Amino acid sequence: MKFSLFVHMERFDDARSHAELFDELTDLVRTAERGGFEAAWIGEHHGMEFTIAPNPFINLAYLGARTSRIRLGTGTVIAPFWHPIRLAGEAAMTDLATGGRLDLGIARGAYSFEYERLMPGLDAWGAGQRMREMIPALRGLWAGDYTHEGEFWRFPKTTATPKPLQRPGIPVWVAARDPNSHAFAVENGCNVQVTPLASGDGEVEALIGRFDKACADAPAVPRPQIMLLQHTFVSESPEDTARLSEDLSRFYCAFGALFQNKLPIEQGFIRGLDADLQASMPQYAPDTIARNLVIGEPDAVIARLKAYEAMGYDQYAIWIDSGIGHARKKRSLELFIRDVMPAFA
């Protein structure tokens, strides 16, 4: 099982500048490369300080010049916010800028906050249908002289310019949760990204079960890769584990409030995240977070990850966004590289 880093700029107040956050993200990715990580992933989000990522291709092209080996992926671009011709061309240009190290993760999107602002009236079903139409269009454009007559986009014979450095095209990853999404990804030769969020190991097992069934139902298709994304922190003591669990509890309450459009957002910041709101989300209580996420000293982390490897996961992505400071993120990453990764050499 290979390891990767899922990372964004993030802030909960304006005490830190965006320039500082940009440099810190770069530092984490370079640390991951030195440590032998397979990939670094950056997603797409708009209008929020909680996840600052308006165009991951900008970050990835920059990181391509600051790194030499690590693969660089979109985790993920939001399909309905793009036109196929534009996405095919920008992805190909980024593949050139990174020396053929781009992985293209693509999803339907999750936040109604973003749907309301970038495509009013869009719902999850419509977003998913656009994603399914987008993927074959991208491959057609990378091959060249492709005409598209779809439900959402129509255009005459067109080719992506430039072409990707990787041939026949850039590896595509689909963010999947329900069985139909797994089936679509596998049938179309796409790799799969999954996250249980904070639902625990039962969901981890269910997700790969859906993937395995999709592979079994498409025996003519070579088995793609599957990546598990989950918050993971290596601690130095039981007390450190407890503090990290409390920090991740607050992070998930903010995530839940944003996902459900529960709180106002002013100047990009979530407002009104208080103790009462946290108490209304017992699924994110610190003890539940400690049990469901991978937080602990090295031996405990190794044991959890060995179980995921045995389930058949090909890649494990450490989701490092958390609301904690850069120094604590980097220390956890360094401990992971030093004390956890050798068990998977």
Side-chain angles (χ1 to χ4, degrees), residues 242 245-247 249-250 278 282 284-291 295:
S245 300
E246 291 172 359
D247 290 335
S249 172
R250 285 191 291 273
Q278 288 183 244
Y284 302 138
D287 59 339
T288 303
I289 288 292
R291 181 173 62 252
I295 307 171

Side-chain angles (χ1 to χ4, degrees), residues 168-188:
I170 298 162
V172 177
W173 297 71
V174 171
R177 177 170 293 275
D178 64 83
N180 290 333
S181 297
H182 283 270
F184 169 82
V186 171
E187 289 166 3
N188 285 271

Side-chain angles (χ1 to χ4, degrees), residues 270-292:
I270 302 169
R271 303 300 188 191
L273 184 63
D274 56 20
D276 289 340
L277 183 65
Q278 288 183 244
S280 73
M281 300 184 189
Q283 71 272 32
Y284 302 138
D287 59 339
T288 303
I289 288 292
R291 181 173 62 252
N292 287 351

